[in-house]
Amino acid sequence: GRAPLVLLLSGTVSLLGGLIFGYELGIISGALLQLQTDFQLSCFEQEVLVSAVLIGALLASLAGGILIDRHGRRRAILVSNLVLLVGSLILTLARSFTLLVIGRMTVGFAISVSSMACCIYVSEMVAAHQRGLLVSLYEAGITVGILLSYALNYIFADMEEGWRYMFGLAIAPTAMQFLSILFLPVNPVKLSSWDSDCQKGLIPLQDKEDRAAAKREPYQDSPTISHQEKHYSFLDLFRTRDNMRRRTLVGLGLVLFQQFTGQPNVLGYASKIFHSVGFQSNSSAILASVGLGAIKVVATLVAMALADKAGRRVLLMAGCVVMAISVTTIGLTSRTAPLAVARDCRAAAGPNASHSLSQQPLAPEVPQAAVSPVPPASGAVKSQAGPGFAATRSLTEVFASTQSKEAVPNPSLTQKRDLAGQSKEGTLESTGPPLDATPRAQHTVLNWITLLSMMAFVSAFSIGFGPMTWLVLSEIYPAGIRGRAFAFCNSFNWAANLLISLSFLDLIDAIGFSWMFLLYGLMGVMAVIFIYLFVPETKGQSLEEIDQQFSRKR
């Protein structure tokens, strides 16, 4: 009789974990606009503040794996909840820039550990035919969390010290997750062998037939597998034992292709594209950004429904094909109708947020040529990467641009920030026309094609790479090393994301915007080939069967 309850609580833990992750990544875009004035932040300080989450997350993906494997998944989630509560309190009560950075790093550490532990814990808790659905709930949680953060950014935008409420509200879902997991069964603390994992109720909901079949399986098929040998060292990830090297190849390939298909930057251009299509005013840009967020939520729900029916491979490959076509289309249309590439640190919450939105009422005729040489938040909002992290940037950037107080910025501040942008050496000139230039009639059609391609890209990502990468990662490693393996791949995810976000402007200068997107299209094609050749189908198989499938294959 406890099965439905365990199922419900597992789902809740997964959903809340994702919700907190998305919320923490999205909330900074609105908070930054207030913090910038309250603390008189320089461009560099804004970059540091937004990147602090990333630094915390990278630390967690290096250390978190050991915590998850040594002390169990459940305890890791409980610890991450407590750390997150501490981080949120520091942020809510912060009186100095240093405390803000410490708070954001603490939050980054917590959401990174939680993201890994949640996916692994839920994948081990539920039966094979429900695993896809429940682990994908995490990704759905992220998309909902981001939408929620935008809504709250909007509500608190004009409130005195509204950022304190924005940061403080993360405490509610964290407390709920903490309580939900207290009622779930405990994982064995020491994973002695595969066999004891199963016996001690690691997989309590597995069907009786599954269990009987698992016991009948001739384990001694392969000389490398014996009951006693199930302790793994970190270096085993790179050895041929139990085919671990191939598993690591699959994990790293998925994680790197997830980033190298251009995910961080396509979404970064959301606001530019909305602007060029004609969403000129603040409120319409907010609606457009929320619309894109809603598309992500719907696509993720579709992925959840299909994960256990169509299978992981099919969704990954279909998603990649659509993504490759979409970015190629954006690349081709932007050759004919170039988009402006201008950033400066006022758009810190999203390097691509079109600050001309806030400028328009004051000085529509002044083109914004000053661009700081380093994309302000490139390592910032966009560099978050974690399970489904993808969801994160969806609209953070657009939102940043639309958050200005009633579209009439404080002129002295505007001046100060412009000076800051101009005083940086090596200032780049903006490529392409100033944002305020009205799109010429013949480009309107192309701009709409670009917009639709972007929607297709977002949907395809949310169906394929978004949820499936983390689902496959939580399934393909043996229980004894699952935490460390997941964390190892996750650290590459964060690092690749940072690299791509930071090199974006330099690459655009070197090869041009449209070539950049055509390059992403090529990566998409390579990703399809990689998935076809290396990624096995894992739907409907128990974790042990997946483990055996890998161990036997040479």
Side-chain angles (χ1 to χ4, degrees), residues 213-229:
K215 277 184 188 157
R216 283 199 305 274
E217 275 292 344
Y219 273 95
Q220 270 54 39
D221 264 9
S222 140
T224 50
I225 303 176
S226 83
H227 287 283
Q228 280 65 48
E229 256 192 313

Side-chain angles (χ1 to χ4, degrees), residues 228-308:
Q228 280 65 48
E229 256 192 313
K230 287 293 173 179
H231 288 287
Y232 292 93
S233 75
F234 181 71
L235 291 174
D236 283 333
L237 284 175
F238 312 101
R239 295 187 179 130
T240 48
R241 173 192 170 188
D242 284 1
N243 230 357
M244 289 301 284
R245 197 182 290 166
R246 177 165 179 253
R247 305 182 202 219
T248 307
L249 171 79
V250 171
L252 285 181
L254 283 174
V255 159
L256 293 174
F257 275 121
Q258 183 189 35
Q259 298 302 323
F260 289 141
T261 43
Q263 205 289 129
N265 296 326
V266 173
L267 295 174
Y269 268 84
S271 58
K272 287 275 189 301
I273 294 172
F274 284 137
H275 204 266
S276 62
V277 175
F279 291 102
Q280 300 293 342
S281 75
N282 279 1
S283 51
S284 61
I286 288 178
L287 283 176
S289 71
V290 170
L292 201 54
I295 290 174
K296 275 191 95 60
V297 174
V298 172
T300 310
L301 293 174
V302 171
M304 281 168 52
L306 293 178
D308 292 313

